[in-house]
Amino acid sequence: MVFPLASHLGTNYCPTDEELPEIKALLIQPALRLKRVDDEIAVLQKAIDKLADERESLTTYLDGYNALLSPVRRLPLDVIQEIFLACTPTHRNCVMSALEAPVLLGRICSSWRSIALSTPRLWARLHVVEPGPPSFGSINPILVETTGSKSAAKAAQRLDQVKAWLGRSGQCPLSISLHSQSEGFISSPSFLQELISFSRRWQHVDFTLSPGTLNSISHLTEMDVPLLESVKLSHHYHSLSATLQLEHFRIFRAPRFSSFRLVGNNFVGRDIEAMPLRWNQLTVLEMTGSTWQSSVTSGIALRILRQCPELRICQLSVNDNELDLDGHAPGPIVELRSLLTFRLQSHVMESSLVGLLDRLSLPELRYFSLHASGAHGPLSLAEIFARWAQLERLEISGNTFSKSSLLDSIRNLPDTLKHLAIHDALQASSSPLDDDVLALLTEVSAPCPALETLLLNYCTNISDEALLLFITARMSSESKANLTCVRVTFQRSITLDILPSLQPFVSRGLDLSITHIPILVHEVESSPWQGLSDNALPDPWSPYFSQF
């Protein structure tokens, strides 16, 4: 069929006066046909709408009765409560948010809300964030006053929510964490005072507050906290207006007390020994902070550990800046037969560090982490590692060792070791962590035959070729090792792309991550990278061990 003027359709062509009647005549029949089609569609649409209404009515009828047959309706109340409890976080306390249980469970239906509100165990764990003070960056006094009023109203509202939450917990033991946003300020005592009213049901508490506010719980005695098992006290590093009076904290004498964590350096080392703790029943002890500010010396650490025969987890920040005769002098061996995890941050000379570890007997140790920022000289832990026959996880800073001492220490690692992490310092061009270390782990009779995970952070002196040889040897069919994870961060540009060669191992299940972070060298006068966030390198001592 020939369509007149078809070549002009879809263009900007303007018809002539003679062509206009012709075009209008062409449109008469199609317009009539279009009207008939629209009429037919209307009839059919009416029939479809009628069927759709009937379908909706039938669906509503069926859904209503099928809901009565739902298996959830037949679950016993105690089973539903256990399901609700399984919905709450297991690694931390619950937060006051409708995005997660238990608050979220009350938003589903009235029945679930009733069950949630009547299940005390759902409300026995709580994380509270105390609202921070108003910003003082503005010079407008009206704006400051308005912001302060809003902050006070928010704090009052949140305090009411805390009361309501804990009021639903019945008589259950409580796990509570309170975090103040008032860094550099005195924390408000209102939230802590409200929590103190529930002290007889405290089981686990974690307070991050200013030292002055933390001292307000020193009036509590062991009779006020009969269920208390663990305490974690943290304070802001910039809150220097007061120190923790730990020797006055009588809650540490609670009959079930077994876990003590202290984060921060506003304390005096000798006062730690004076704390009224039940040292002999502690299973967890952590005293951490900036090592160069810590008042815990090697001698203090040994005297404390000597009183803790039941320890299973220990983390210490030790500083021997001053002469510590007890820490350097020979003494009896401290035996910790139950210790499984030992994390040590130290700012000491190598002789003090070796002396400290040499006087510890840890026959069941499984995980050891060492960050010795102040060690100098050929630190060697070969003899110590050889004694830890059950060690499975090791995390160390490579710049703590000399080349020979690092190799000796690795050679003496027990055959049980499965996870090894070595961190280098930023821009450590003289680091002992180089190809020889990987070559040692690549040999036929290499140390750590059971190695599963290798983490190398900020390598400068390890080549891509050495890493390729290590992974290939460890993943070969002749190797008895079970290498499952390799994560390496190079502090340099890539020289050889080894990923294609390693792809077969990745296909077999190897968790592989290789990252190259070149050092950016800037001109003195200007740099095209200046001011960019990706110019900053990540912290080499981020919690890498959490990947174990």
Side-chain angles (χ1 to χ4, degrees):
M1 181 180 295
V2 178
F3 295 95
L5 303 175
S7 62
H8 298 302
L9 297 178
T11 70
N12 293 329
Y13 175 74
C14 180
T16 63
D17 292 341
E18 292 76 13
E19 293 173 332
L20 290 177
E22 182 181 359
I23 294 175
K24 291 180 180 179
L26 290 173
L27 299 180
I28 294 175
Q29 291 302 323
L32 293 175
R33 176 56 184 164
L34 177 62
K35 185 178 183 307
R36 290 195 298 270
V37 170
D38 285 342
D39 291 341
E40 291 179 16
I41 290 176
V43 173
L44 294 175
Q45 187 62 52
K46 187 175 180 180
I48 291 175
D49 291 343
K50 182 178 180 181
L51 292 174
D53 290 341
E54 183 179 358
R55 183 184 187 282
E56 183 178 359
S57 177
L58 290 171
T59 300
T60 302
Y61 181 87
L62 291 172
D63 288 346
Y65 281 94
N66 282 330
L68 295 177
L69 301 176
S70 172
V72 176
R73 293 175 180 261
R74 302 177 59 82
L75 289 177
L77 176 61
D78 57 340
V79 174
I80 296 179
Q81 290 175 326
E82 290 298 327
I83 293 175
F84 281 8
L85 288 168
C87 293
T88 58
T90 57
H91 61 289
R92 57 170 172 81
N93 290 331
C94 303
V95 299
M96 293 186 290
S97 170
L99 298 178
E100 68 176 43
V103 180
L104 177 60
L105 297 172
R107 304 294 179 92
I108 307 302
C109 64
S110 59
S111 176
W112 279 26
R113 176 176 175 81
S114 177
I115 295 174
L117 294 178
S118 60
T119 305
R121 285 191 295 164
L122 278 176
W123 311 94
R125 293 187 293 126
L126 173 63
H127 176 69
V128 184
V129 178
E130 176 191 340
S135 172
F136 294 99
S138 173
I139 61 174
N140 188 332
I142 298 178
L143 181 59
V144 171
E145 182 178 356
T146 303
T147 306
S149 300
K150 291 182 178 179
S151 179
K154 182 178 181 180
Q157 180 185 25
R158 187 163 298 174
L159 189 58
D160 289 339
Q161 293 171 344
V162 171
K163 294 178 182 178
W165 184 295
L166 295 179
R168 301 167 187 156
S169 63
Q171 296 301 314
C172 292
L174 298 176
S175 176
I176 301 174
S177 48
L178 172 61
H179 180 86
S180 170
Q181 292 181 301
S182 307
E183 184 167 355
F185 297 87
I186 299 298
S187 313
S188 168
S190 302
F191 284 85
L192 185 56
Q193 291 301 322
E194 179 61 33
L195 298 180
I196 287 176
S197 64
F198 294 89
S199 64
R200 292 196 61 82
R201 292 196 285 124
W202 285 359
Q203 185 177 31
H204 308 286
V205 293
D206 179 350
F207 297 145
T208 301
L209 302 167
S210 62
T213 305
L214 282 173
N215 284 329
S216 64
I217 65 175
S218 60
H219 71 280
L220 296 175
T221 69
E222 59 267 35
M223 303 299 294
D224 298 313
V225 287
L227 304 181
L228 188 62
E229 296 181 8
S230 70
V231 170
K232 180 180 179 181
L233 302 178
S234 310
H235 62 75
H236 301 303
Y237 293 112
H238 302 298
S239 302
L240 302 177
S241 58
T243 57
L244 290 177
Q245 305 298 321
L246 297 173
E247 69 276 13
H248 301 311
F249 279 49
R250 290 173 291 176
I251 62 172
F252 300 151
R253 296 294 300 173
R256 301 183 181 182
F257 193 79
S258 61
S259 174
F260 175 62
R261 292 178 167 95
L262 179 65
V263 180
N265 295 308
N266 276 14
F267 55 83
V268 179
R270 301 291 173 179
D271 289 345
I272 293 179
E273 296 181 90
M275 286 189 300
L277 271 166
R278 296 180 182 269
W279 299 99
N280 63 328
Q281 63 186 39
L282 286 184
T283 58
V284 177
L285 175 63
E286 295 184 8
M287 294 186 293
T288 60
S290 302
T291 53
W292 57 88
Q293 295 178 338
S294 175
S295 299
V296 179
T297 64
S298 298
I300 293 174
L302 287 170
R303 290 197 297 271
I304 289 175
L305 294 177
R306 189 173 293 119
Q307 303 177 64
C308 307
E310 301 299 324
L311 276 185
R312 297 176 62 84
I313 298 175
C314 182
Q315 183 169 352
L316 298 176
S317 293
V318 178
N319 183 6
D320 278 354
N321 275 336
E322 298 181 0
L323 184 62
D324 181 16
L325 296 178
D326 187 31
H328 290 78
I333 298 297
V334 177
E335 188 171 17
L336 302 173
R337 301 195 62 84
S338 300
L339 192 67
L340 300 177
T341 298
F342 188 25
R343 300 189 183 107
L344 180 62
Q345 292 177 285
S346 65
H347 189 74
V348 299
M349 299 298 289
E350 71 280 356
S351 59
S352 298
L353 180 58
V354 174
L356 171 62
L357 295 175
D358 200 43
R359 291 167 65 181
L360 294 175
S361 175
L362 313 173
E364 297 297 324
L365 189 66
R366 298 295 195 276
Y367 171 41
F368 178 65
S369 171
L370 172 64
H371 180 202
S373 60
H376 303 284
L379 172 67
S380 177
L381 301 180
E383 294 184 5
I384 294 172
F385 287 163
R387 293 201 301 264
W388 294 343
Q390 305 297 323
L391 191 66
E392 296 180 356
R393 305 168 188 264
L394 175 65
E395 181 179 12
I396 55 177
S397 51
N399 57 303
T400 302
F401 300 81
S402 67
K403 172 71 171 293
S404 60
S405 65
L406 179 59
L407 293 173
D408 286 341
S409 298
I410 292 178
R411 286 191 188 97
N412 283 271
L413 287 171
D415 291 346
T416 55
L417 194 80
K418 296 180 179 179
H419 309 276
L420 175 62
I422 305 178
H423 305 278
D424 256 356
L426 290 176
Q427 302 180 4
S429 58
S430 60
S431 168
L433 181 58
D434 59 13
D435 287 358
D436 291 339
V437 175
L438 273 188
L440 176 62
L441 293 170
T442 307
E443 296 174 357
V444 177
S445 57
C448 314
L451 190 67
E452 297 178 0
T453 302
L454 178 67
L455 307 178
L456 302 178
N457 204 18
Y458 288 91
C459 314
T460 302
N461 301 329
I462 288 182
S463 66
D464 296 301
E465 293 87 349
L467 180 60
L468 175 61
L469 289 175
F470 165 77
I471 297 177
T472 303
R474 286 279 177 163
M475 294 293 294
S476 66
S477 57
E478 293 81 12
S479 174
K480 297 181 180 179
N482 187 29
L483 195 64
T484 59
C485 178
V486 176
R487 298 188 179 183
V488 181
T489 302
F490 289 106
Q491 192 189 349
R492 58 170 176 76
S493 300
I494 187 172
T495 58
L496 175 66
D497 186 6
I498 63 176
L499 290 179
S501 301
L502 297 176
Q503 191 57 44
F505 304 133
V506 175
S507 302
R508 284 165 46 188
L510 178 65
D511 181 1
L512 179 65
S513 174
I514 301 177
T515 305
H516 293 80
I517 306 177
I519 302 175
L520 301 180
V521 180
H522 307 307
E523 298 292 338
V524 175
E525 60 275 6
S526 64
S527 167
W529 289 277
Q530 189 170 358
L532 295 179
S533 59
D534 59 0
N535 188 27
L537 298 178
D539 181 7
W541 274 94
S542 59
Y544 226 141
F545 51 79
S546 64
Q547 302 180 35
F548 279 174

